[in-house]
């Protein structure tokens, strides 16, 4: 009797790494030739589990080395026993569980959440990676999404038209340590929007349509420099992870040679023990040189490839790009081109990073950063500060945004000359940087205007560093005005609203005599005068400005 799955064929669609431009994995998509077997699988966990197993076997027949994404309905995963077929298929295909990501798809309605979370914990413990699929076009509850703590979240492309929602998802991903992907990308504009939103991965017709044969040949639009999201501590290594070519430590040199010969894009092979922990690293060029030498094949072909390997270089999946560079710098100079194995919290290899990817991305981000620096103070401009303001708003963090400038700066330039004015601005910039805490961002937005983003509890020392200092230009005393708006979570929607709240506070500070500081709170009337008294007269530069 014919099985319901006999008419199902499978197609493969690349998941593209937007940082490296390479293929990070293949999603296996069921394509029934007749009927609506997917609708049946939604109601039948056993059938859905069989489809997942068939997807893995279809990939095995194509002999792809890339990591795989297999789709499973949330209801199927909650019924844990229905995934036994998937486990068997992965084992029979010779794949490691952590090379397979389970894409959990909607519907979630009527799925027992406690059972789903228990099943996810079991599957994750076995080594499978978890992806929350269909976000923005499904019914996944936000609380359940955070409890799932997936390694990857896939957003529907339609969500790109709602930037605030995408920013919120990016923030959630950062807090959970997850990657963000966008599905259904069809145009270069959508790709650019995905990059701007902070997505590290994407898939869709723009890059490559689903095909019966797995392919690593994808189209990726040229991305402008600086598209890598670079926090202060450095970009995450997750952005640069490439699929690893894995073989057991018992593999012979002939097996490694066959893999490298058939996969010209593979730069090396990681030999792992039965637990998936890297034991040796085989570099393509050095290995092939040994094998191609006189008597090389005869000497090594049937012997363990580990003899031609080196101790692996490893970093944790939560490392930064700078930490990877430290690992490379501390090692043998002859191995600077070796891949660095990326391991999860169990020490299992989940991919590799290449030095060239890191150097290119970090250099581009530095060029972009340098282009945005004020040439006088070498401080970032307003874009860097306002971008961080939006991130803190999305994180629902309380923050204080301050505007500092020099009183009567035009008279300073007219009376003492622009060189003295420039030196004063540089000195103010240095003072702000010295007093800044780790969470403080200082920007120079032009002329004598500075923006400072800080935590409210650090305002006192920062204000004192500039307001209590004896500033002079051309031998004359100079004072500063400081305006601060404290923004509680929910009090402002974006940086524009925060700036609008700050503007009248600046006017109030400038109306005071001498060094002044005015503080207000977004959404509340009035303000507090912390420094300065009376109305400030417009004095010519030739007279001393009192402090």
């Amino acid at each position: 009797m014919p099985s319901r799955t006999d008419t199902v064929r499978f197609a493969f669609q690349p998941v593209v790494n937007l940082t490296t431009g390479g293929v990070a994995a293949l999603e296996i998509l069921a394509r029934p030739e007749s009927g609506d077997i997917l609708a049946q699988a939604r109601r039948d966990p056993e059938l859905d589990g069989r489809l997942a197993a068939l997807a893995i076997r279809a990939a095995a027949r194509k002999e792809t080395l890339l990591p795989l994404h297999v789709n499973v309905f949330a209801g199927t995963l909650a019924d844990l026993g229905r995934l036994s077929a998937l486990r068997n298929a992965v084992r029979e295909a010779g794949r490691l569980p952590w090379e397979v990501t389970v894409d959990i798809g909607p519907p979630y309605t009527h799925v027992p959440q406690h059972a789903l979370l228990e099943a996810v914990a079991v599957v994750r413990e076995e080594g499978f990676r978890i992806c929350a699929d269909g976000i923005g076009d499904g019914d996944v509850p936000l609380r359940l999404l955070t409890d799932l703590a997936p390694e990857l979240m896939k957003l529907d492309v339609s969500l790109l038209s709602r930037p605030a929602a995408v920013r919120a998802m990016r923030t959630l991903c950062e807090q959970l340590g997850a990657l963000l992907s966008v599905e259904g990308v069809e145009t270069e504009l959508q790709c650019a929007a995905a990059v701007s939103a902070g997505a590290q991965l994407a898939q869709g017709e723009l890059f490559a349509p689903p095909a019966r044969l797995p392919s690593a040949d994808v189209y990726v639009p040229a991305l402008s420099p600086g598209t890598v999201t670079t926090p202060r501590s450095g970009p995450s290594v997750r952005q640069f992870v490439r699929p690893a070519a894995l073989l057991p430590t018992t593999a012979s040199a002939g097996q490694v040679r066959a893999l490298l010969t058939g996969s010209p894009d593979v730069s090396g092979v990681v030999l792992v023990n039965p637990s998936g922990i890297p034991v040796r690293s085989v570099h393509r060029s050095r290995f092939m040189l040994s094998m191609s030498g006189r008597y090389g094949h005869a000497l090594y072909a049937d012997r363990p490839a580990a003899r031609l390997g080196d101790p692996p270089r490893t970093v944790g999946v939560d490392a930064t790009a700078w930490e990877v560079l430290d690992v490379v710098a501390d090692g043998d100079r002859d191995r600077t081109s070796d891949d660095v194995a990326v391991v999860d919290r169990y020490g299992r290899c989940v991919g590799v990073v290449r030095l060239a990817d890191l150097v290119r991305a970090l250099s581009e981000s530095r060029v972009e950063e340098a282009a945005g620096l004020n040439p006088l103070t070498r401080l970032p401009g307003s874009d860097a500060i306002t971008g961080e303001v939006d991130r803190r708003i999305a994180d629902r963090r309380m923050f204080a945004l301050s505007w500092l400038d020099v009183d009567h700066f035009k008279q300073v330039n007219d009376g003492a000359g622009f060189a003295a004015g420039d030196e004063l601005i540089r000195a103010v910039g240095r003072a702000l940087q010295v007093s800044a805490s780790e969470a403080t961002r200082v920007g120079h937005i032009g002329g004598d205007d500075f923006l400072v983003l800080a935590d409210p509890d650090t305002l006192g020392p920062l204000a004192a560093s500039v307001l209590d200092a004896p500033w002079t230009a051309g031998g004359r005393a100079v004072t500063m005005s400081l305006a601060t708006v404290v923004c509680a979570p929910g009090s402002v929607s974006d940086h524009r609203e925060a700036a609008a709240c700050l503007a009248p506070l600046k006017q109030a500070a400038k109306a005071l005599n001498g060094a002044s500081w005015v503080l207000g709170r977004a959404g509340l009337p009035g303000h507090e005068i912390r420094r300065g008294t009376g109305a400030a007269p417009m004095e010519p530069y030739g007279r001393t400005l009192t402090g």
Side-chain angles (χ1 to χ4, degrees):
M1 182 175 178
S3 169
R4 286 181 291 179
T5 59
D6 289 345
T7 60
V8 178
R9 300 294 180 263
F10 293 92
F12 303 87
Q13 185 169 48
V15 179
V16 176
N17 186 314
L18 294 173
T19 300
T20 65
V23 177
L26 293 172
E27 181 174 355
I28 316 170
L29 303 168
R31 291 290 187 262
E33 295 181 349
S34 62
D36 194 356
I37 195 171
L38 295 180
Q40 299 174 44
R42 189 179 296 117
R43 300 185 296 270
D44 185 344
E46 184 175 356
L47 174 59
D48 192 34
R50 286 169 54 200
L51 287 174
L54 288 173
I56 295 295
R57 292 191 175 99
R61 288 194 295 270
K62 306 301 181 183
E63 297 183 347
T64 177
L65 296 174
L66 290 166
L68 304 173
H69 285 239
V70 60
N71 294 285
V72 172
F73 289 112
T76 300
L77 191 56
D79 190 349
L80 186 59
R82 307 302 182 185
L83 282 188
S84 57
L86 173 63
R87 295 189 188 87
N88 293 337
V90 170
R91 183 172 58 254
E92 292 166 4
R95 301 301 295 257
L96 299 169
W98 41 95
E99 295 180 279
V100 178
T101 298
V102 178
D103 287 11
I104 308 174
Y108 289 84
T109 305
H110 306 309
V111 174
Q113 295 188 8
H114 183 70
L116 177 60
L117 292 174
E118 284 188 343
V120 166
V122 172
V123 171
R124 180 177 277 134
E125 187 67 26
E126 293 173 351
F128 292 94
R129 302 178 73 238
I130 300 298
C131 166
D133 201 356
I135 297 175
D137 195 36
D139 62 345
V140 55
L142 186 58
R143 184 174 64 182
L144 175 61
L145 185 60
T146 57
D147 290 342
L148 285 174
E151 284 80 17
L152 175 65
M153 295 189 194
K154 287 187 178 181
L155 304 188
D156 186 80
V157 70
S158 62
L159 213 58
L160 292 177
S161 62
R162 297 165 176 81
V166 179
R167 285 198 300 270
M169 294 310 304
R170 174 59 197 262
T171 300
L172 180 59
C173 284
E174 290 176 349
Q175 292 179 348
L176 295 177
L179 293 178
L180 185 65
S181 182
V182 178
E183 292 184 292
V185 176
E186 297 181 350
T187 68
E188 294 193 8
L189 286 177
Q190 290 175 337
C191 179
V195 172
S196 298
Q200 295 98 352
L201 304 172
Q203 61 190 100
E205 295 281 342
L206 174 67
F207 310 107
R212 292 292 176 85
L213 293 177
S215 174
D217 185 15
V218 294
Y219 166 74
V220 180
L223 303 177
S224 60
T227 53
V228 175
T229 302
T230 310
R232 199 169 196 176
S233 59
S236 169
V237 74
R238 295 173 187 266
Q239 296 176 240
F240 306 94
V241 174
R242 291 176 176 266
L246 303 178
L247 284 177
T249 52
T250 55
S252 68
Q255 289 175 296
V256 171
R257 184 177 185 277
L259 188 156
L260 293 175
T261 303
S263 306
D265 293 334
V266 172
S267 55
V269 176
V270 180
L271 303 179
V272 297
N273 68 14
S275 298
I277 298 173
V279 175
R280 303 291 283 180
S281 175
V282 179
H283 184 266
R284 181 188 190 96
S285 297
R286 293 197 298 275
F287 174 84
M288 296 301 280
L289 184 63
S290 297
M291 289 293 288
S292 61
R294 191 176 184 183
Y295 308 123
H297 188 273
L299 285 173
Y300 299 115
D302 296 326
R303 296 187 179 184
R307 295 186 179 183
L308 297 177
D310 300 286
R313 294 175 172 178
T314 61
V315 295
V317 72
D318 294 321
T320 67
W322 296 112
E323 290 173 305
V324 179
L325 293 183
D326 288 341
V327 170
V328 174
D330 290 342
D332 190 336
R333 290 186 179 181
D334 293 336
R335 297 185 59 196
T336 54
S337 63
D338 286 22
D339 294 341
V340 177
V342 181
V343 298
D344 64 11
R345 62 193 179 100
Y346 300 105
R348 302 176 302 209
C349 182
V350 296
V352 296
V353 291
R354 295 180 181 176
L355 180 62
D357 289 337
L358 300 183
V359 172
R360 180 170 55 252
L362 291 173
S363 63
E364 287 177 349
S365 67
R366 286 293 179 262
V367 168
E368 186 76 3
E369 180 182 323
L373 298 181
N374 186 286
L376 184 61
T377 59
R378 308 305 295 169
L379 289 172
S382 60
D383 286 349
I385 304 300
T386 55
E388 180 63 21
V389 167
D390 285 337
R391 281 190 285 274
R392 296 194 187 190
I393 291 172
D395 291 345
R396 297 190 65 80
R397 291 174 55 187
M398 178 177 283
F399 63 89
L401 182 63
S402 299
W403 191 336
L404 175 79
D405 71 353
V406 179
D407 294 328
H408 313 303
F409 186 64
K410 184 177 186 303
Q411 288 92 322
V412 173
N413 273 339
D414 290 345
F418 69 87
D422 286 353
E423 181 53 41
L424 174 64
I425 295 303
R426 281 192 287 265
V428 172
R430 287 193 296 269
L432 288 171
Q433 286 181 290
V434 168
S435 62
S437 67
E438 179 65 23
T440 301
R441 303 289 184 268
V442 179
H444 182 194
I445 60 177
D448 63 323
D449 291 314
F450 293 86
L451 276 180
V452 181
L453 177 62
D455 291 336
D457 58 2
T458 65
L459 287 174
L462 189 146
S465 69
V466 289
L467 298 182
D468 292 345
W471 299 107
T472 60
R476 303 287 183 168
V478 176
T479 58
M480 308 283 169
S481 292
L482 179 66
T484 300
V485 59
V486 176
C487 300
S491 61
V492 292
S493 59
D494 59 21
H495 71 270
R496 297 175 185 83
E497 193 172 342
C501 294
L502 186 58
L505 298 175
K506 180 190 177 186
Q507 293 179 353
K510 299 298 289 183
L512 298 175
N513 189 29
S516 61
W517 181 16
V518 168
L519 183 144
R521 297 182 183 278
L524 298 178
H527 59 263
E528 173 188 350
I529 298 176
R530 294 198 167 186
R531 297 284 184 93
T533 58
M538 290 297 295
E539 306 235 14
Y541 178 77
R543 295 178 60 183
T544 300
L545 302 178
T546 59

